[in-house]
Amino acid sequence: MQLVSLKQVYKQIATTPKPFVKWAGGKRQLIPILNENIPKSFGTYFEPFLGGGALLFHILTERNAQKCSISDLNSDLVLTYTTIRNRIDELISSLKSHEKNYQKDSKSYYYSIRESNPRSEIEKTSRLLFLNRTCFNGLYRVNSKGKFNVPLGSYTNPNIVNEENLRSVSAILQASKVAIKCRDFEAVLRDAKKGDLVYFDPPYQPVSETANFTSYTNKSFTYDDLNRLAELCMNLDSKGCKVLLSNSDSKEVAEIFSSKSWKINRIQANRSINSNSKKRTGHFELLIKNY
């Protein structure tokens, strides 16, 4: 694949690339705070819970030729990133077809696509993007069998194709040194070296009995996984890596990262996909780092 400079990229695109999926815990609104907490200099940027990639797109836009290694355990999401990078014209054509059919009969078409299981990479990717744009609250959630199970949202005219942003994302991923992988978060320990920055944004620890959304894949993120993550952070710290972690303002998280290696900041954040709009504001979360 031919690499082009970011100057050339910005001649090709009209907008700054931003997340192309609405994702639980997305970080777009927190970019100013995250930016203040990023080290001035670092080696490779690693993000093992990729999700919507808000911080990734910010870093790629602000730092010319930044080397990145991004990954997620959700294979459909990882496929979406690689398809947008490598096959953008075919993907947009497929999304336009979804848009046309959706406009004819939104309800029956939505549920027929939700039940479908396409084989081709283009159709898998356009299905994910179509469902994300038209489902209730833009929530990505699967059940224990790995099946997407969110009902139809009540939108008058959803932006299903969103061509301008998709082309911006494709261009910046092509122009940059970004490795995209599908793997468990612990695999980052093999690759990260002294001076690299690793940002963890895992499914959050619940702060109440009802706040238990951890289902981006058919494997929930458990308390044992949180302990695995904490041990991984300690190992990365001892290797000389710079570690930044977002999580909920929960007692368990604060206790696990209570040693003097870690600085904990409590920051205000909104919840953009809470089904009750009154519960979207007034939340706090923790930003934890070792530098």
Side-chain angles (χ1 to χ4, degrees), residues 99-112:
E99 184 176 57
K100 198 172 169 183
N101 289 317
Y102 177 85
Q103 286 167 352
K104 290 175 190 168
D105 185 346
S106 57
K107 187 173 182 180
S108 69
Y109 188 70
Y110 174 85
Y111 286 106
S112 73

Side-chain angles (χ1 to χ4, degrees), residues 27-44:
K27 289 295 176 288
R28 265 183 79 185
Q29 42 130 350
L30 291 179
I31 287 299
I33 295 171
L34 290 171
N35 191 46
E36 286 171 15
N37 284 276
I38 292 172
K40 291 275 189 290
S41 64
F42 50 89
T44 302

Side-chain angles (χ1 to χ4, degrees), residues 189 192-196 198 200 229-244 257 259-263 289-291:
L189 188 62
K193 303 185 295 296
K194 183 178 180 179
D196 289 343
V198 186
F200 293 108
L229 175 58
E231 190 174 340
L232 172 62
C233 289
M234 311 299 174
N235 289 333
L236 289 166
D237 179 56
S238 65
K239 278 181 91 168
C241 298
K242 298 169 182 179
V243 179
L244 181 65
F257 289 94
S259 75
K260 61 177 189 251
S261 303
W262 304 100
K263 301 177 183 73
K289 60 183 183 179
N290 69 339
Y291 49 86

Side-chain angles (χ1 to χ4, degrees), residues 159-220:
N159 187 0
I160 292 168
V161 183
N162 202 12
E163 181 170 357
E164 190 176 49
N165 185 56
L166 286 175
R167 290 198 181 278
S168 300
V169 169
S170 181
I172 207 163
L173 289 176
Q174 285 179 48
S176 307
K177 303 170 189 167
V178 183
I180 306 171
K181 298 169 184 172
C182 182
R183 61 185 191 175
D184 182 74
F185 64 88
E186 276 188 299
V188 73
L189 188 62
R190 294 197 301 265
D191 300 337
K193 303 185 295 296
K194 183 178 180 179
D196 289 343
L197 172 63
V198 186
Y199 173 54
F200 293 108
D201 183 24
Y204 282 11
Q205 283 306 111
V207 290
S208 68
E209 288 298 315
T210 54
N212 61 354
F213 179 83
T214 56
S215 304
Y216 304 93
T217 68
N218 60 343
K219 300 178 181 68
S220 287

